Amino acid sequence: MRMLMTYGRGRAEQFRLHPTPGSALNFIPPGFCVYLASLFFVPWLGRWWLLPLAFYTAAVVLQAGVLALQGGGLNGLLALPLIVLTHCLYGVGFWRGLLTELKPPGKREPVPVALERVPVQA
């Protein structure tokens, strides 16, 4: 989960430093997060407001079905909530990257890395 949020944040920071028209697709997951939040806060918008959610649900179910048919079986269907979670975490990370201060590489906090020691067998 942390990796997905960091990926979204990094993509937003990259966009802030080097915006291109090709970056437009990166705004779909953060826009989807705003849309999902609006479903809780503005229910008076009517039933038409649920139409994008219906299309999204159909696309995710179709993707899970394709995964299941490609040999994943039950795992393909169990991936359904993970697909949604991936989009949401990327979107939240993207917003974080858009709205936080950009720090030069030398001023960023170091990310701790844990190295694993594997015993060598002779």
Side-chain angles (χ1 to χ4, degrees):
M1 290 180 359
R2 182 183 210 177
M3 180 198 72
L4 291 167
M5 288 187 63
T6 302
Y7 182 71
R9 180 190 50 82
R11 185 64 67 183
E13 289 176 355
Q14 179 183 14
F15 173 77
R16 288 173 64 185
L17 294 172
H18 309 287
T20 63
S23 297
L25 289 176
N26 293 313
F27 283 87
I28 293 174
F32 181 66
C33 288
V34 170
Y35 168 75
L36 286 179
S38 75
L39 292 176
F40 293 105
F41 296 112
V42 283
W44 61 84
L45 290 173
R47 284 189 233 170
W48 64 270
W49 195 247
L50 295 175
L51 193 58
L53 185 60
F55 284 123
Y56 177 78
T57 302
V60 171
V61 167
L62 180 66
Q63 177 64 43
V66 168
L67 290 172
L69 290 174
Q70 288 178 342
L74 182 61
N75 288 338
L77 297 176
L78 293 175
L80 195 133
L82 299 176
I83 294 170
V84 176
L85 184 64
T86 298
H87 296 153
C88 292
L89 291 172
Y90 175 92
V92 169
F94 194 92
W95 281 115
R96 181 175 174 220
L98 279 180
L99 302 175
T100 57
E101 177 186 357
L102 286 176
K103 296 178 184 175
K107 302 261 180 170
R108 295 182 187 161
E109 295 178 26
V111 177
V113 176
L115 298 176
E116 181 180 329
R117 299 182 89 187
V118 178
V120 178
Q121 294 180 0

